[in-house]
């Protein structure tokens, strides 16, 4: 976990990226760790709260249980896409 803690921050340095996501399986547990970062007034806290997580406007996270990495990835991508779509209406 220490090796990946700051990785999600680097995703925001990519031109055009407003939301960065890091999804990681926690070895030895049935747990998937999700870290979210954003720019400006895009609230990743709202996304994390939909999965029982929390945090701040531009930095949040959640833990997912009883699913595999592919399922978690699909859920998170779908949720982020919904927020981006609604934000741009």
């Amino acid at each position: 976990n220490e090796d990946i803690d700051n990785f999600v921050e680097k995703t925001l340095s990519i031109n055009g990226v407003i939301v960065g996501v890091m999804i990681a399986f926690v070895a030895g547990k049935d747990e998937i760790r999700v870290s979210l970062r954003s720019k400006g007034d895009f609230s990743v806290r709202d996304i994390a709260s939909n999965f029982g997580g929390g945090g701040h406007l531009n930095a949040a996270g959640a833990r997912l249980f009883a699913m595999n990495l592919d399922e978690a990835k699909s859920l998170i991508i779908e949720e982020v896409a919904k927020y981006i779509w609604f934000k741009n209406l």
Side-chain angles (χ1 to χ4, degrees), residues 5-80:
D5 273 344
N6 295 319
F7 181 79
V8 69
E9 306 279 339
K10 296 183 185 318
T11 61
L12 296 178
S13 67
I14 300 168
N15 190 31
V17 170
I18 58 171
V19 178
V21 179
M22 179 69 183
I23 303 170
F25 177 75
V26 179
K29 297 182 180 181
D30 185 22
E31 180 180 321
I32 295 173
R33 181 176 159 201
V34 181
S35 297
L36 302 131
R37 300 294 183 271
S38 66
K39 292 180 183 175
D41 63 349
F42 191 95
S43 178
V44 289
R45 176 183 51 226
D46 293 343
I47 295 169
S49 70
N50 288 337
F51 297 101
H56 304 280
L57 176 74
N58 298 120
R63 295 180 190 275
L64 306 176
F65 302 93
M67 68 178 67
N68 66 42
L69 206 50
D70 288 334
E71 292 170 321
K73 178 180 158 186
S74 294
L75 280 174
I76 297 298
I77 289 172
E78 182 179 317
E79 197 66 21
V80 170

